[in-house]
Amino acid sequence: MKTTGEILRERREKKGMLLRHVSALLDIDTAILSKIERGERKATREQINRLAEILEIDKESLIIQYLSEKILYELKDEDLGIQALKVAEKTIKYGVTKNK
Amino acid sequence: MKTTGEILRERREKKGMLLRHVSALLDIDTAILSKIERGERKATREQINRLAEILEIDKESLIIQYLSEKILYELKDEDLGIQALKVAEKTIKYGVTKNK
DNA sequence: CCTATATTTGACAATTATTGTCAAGTTAAT
DNA sequence: ATTAACTTGACAATAATTGTCAAATATAGG
């Protein structure tokens, strides 16, 4: 499966846009976008929304990929990650979230 | 399923310990522990380790519960949370993590 | 009821993590 | 060798998390 960064870079190049162009629309330095595309940094949630629009990427699939990477990042050093994911999934399904 | 906070409070009371006692061992103010037990704040990962020892709680199950709450917190405003969880699960299973 | 002790609450301070800029360094194509 | 695009790394700004403190509420005995 393609990473968020790969998706972004592919689409940007396919559209013939430069880092300079896209980063200007996002109002950030090209350095950050470069890092995002190479997976060295994470985009913010808001940047993902804008990028989907700017690059005309299917929003849902981009967000799903982005969120899953965020989750994996949280669990990267955890042996019990899979079990935690399963518990989270069950909880979310039964709508038992009581976060504030 | 019991929340992390509920597990902690139950065990502390069962052991007849006061917030004061446990929070001293954790080297934090009782206020924070109170909030953690009531789910108003999250414990740190390290505090979870210490709490499992201090309160003699099965470490694995406590960590799984704790991590799953952390994940759910990340996804609390996301419509696509479940899908993201599923993608994350698949990725973790195939050991394709390339986070740095 | 009085008062001791335990817990809770909320304002805000300290700390840590994330997000950003900038300038200099590569890379690649003339 | 120039030039344009991108990358790198040091560090600044901002935002989120974690903590303290003091006052407010319970809770339980005399």
Side-chain angles (χ1 to χ4, degrees):
Chain A
M1 189 150 221
K2 260 177 271 179
T3 65
T4 305
E6 284 164 357
I7 295 168
L8 296 174
R9 174 147 293 186
E10 273 182 24
R11 276 300 290 164
R12 177 175 64 80
E13 290 177 343
K14 201 155 273 170
K15 297 201 79 182
M17 298 179 82
L18 299 178
L19 282 177
R20 179 153 51 82
H21 300 139
V22 177
S23 63
L25 291 170
L26 290 176
D27 196 31
I28 55 172
D29 199 273
T30 60
I32 298 184
L33 186 54
S34 167
K35 286 168 187 171
I36 289 170
E37 288 185 350
R38 285 170 302 106
E40 195 182 311
R41 290 246 184 134
K42 285 174 294 186
T44 66
R45 187 61 178 75
E46 192 43 36
Q47 285 163 350
I48 289 295
N49 284 334
R50 317 261 301 278
L51 284 164
E53 287 165 14
I54 293 165
L55 301 175
E56 300 172 278
I57 299 169
D58 177 68
K59 200 168 237 173
E60 293 212 345
S61 62
L62 185 65
I63 291 173
I64 290 169
Q65 181 57 34
Y66 169 75
L67 291 176
S68 87
E69 282 169 23
K70 234 173 119 182
I71 294 164
L72 290 171
Y73 178 77
E74 289 267 322
L75 299 179
K76 69 178 181 311
D77 303 320
E78 297 290 350
D79 293 341
L80 302 168
I82 301 179
Q83 283 106 307
L85 283 173
K86 285 189 176 143
V87 172
E89 230 181 284
K90 273 181 192 153
T91 309
I92 223 172
K93 272 181 186 155
Y94 294 112
V96 194
T97 11
K98 46 174 146 182
N99 288 311
K100 52 171 51 178
Chain B
M1 189 149 223
K2 259 176 273 179
T3 65
T4 304
E6 285 165 357
I7 295 168
L8 295 175
R9 175 148 292 187
E10 273 182 24
R11 276 300 290 164
R12 175 174 64 81
E13 290 178 343
K14 200 155 276 171
K15 295 202 79 180
M17 297 179 82
L18 299 177
L19 282 177
R20 180 152 51 81
H21 300 138
V22 177
S23 63
L25 291 171
L26 289 177
D27 195 32
I28 56 172
D29 198 273
T30 60
I32 299 185
L33 186 54
S34 167
K35 286 168 187 171
I36 289 171
E37 288 185 350
R38 285 169 303 106
E40 195 183 311
R41 291 245 183 136
K42 286 174 295 185
T44 67
R45 187 63 178 73
E46 192 44 34
Q47 285 163 351
I48 290 295
N49 284 334
R50 317 262 300 280
L51 284 164
E53 287 165 15
I54 293 165
L55 301 175
E56 299 173 278
I57 299 168
D58 177 67
K59 200 167 238 174
E60 293 213 344
S61 62
L62 185 65
I63 290 172
I64 290 169
Q65 181 57 33
Y66 169 75
L67 291 176
S68 87
E69 282 168 24
K70 234 174 120 182
I71 293 164
L72 290 170
Y73 178 77
E74 290 266 323
L75 299 178
K76 68 180 181 313
D77 303 321
E78 297 289 349
D79 293 341
L80 303 167
I82 302 179
Q83 283 105 307
L85 283 174
K86 286 189 176 141
V87 171
E89 228 181 287
K90 274 181 192 152
T91 309
I92 222 172
K93 272 181 186 156
Y94 292 113
V96 194
T97 10
K98 45 175 148 182
N99 289 312
K100 53 171 50 179

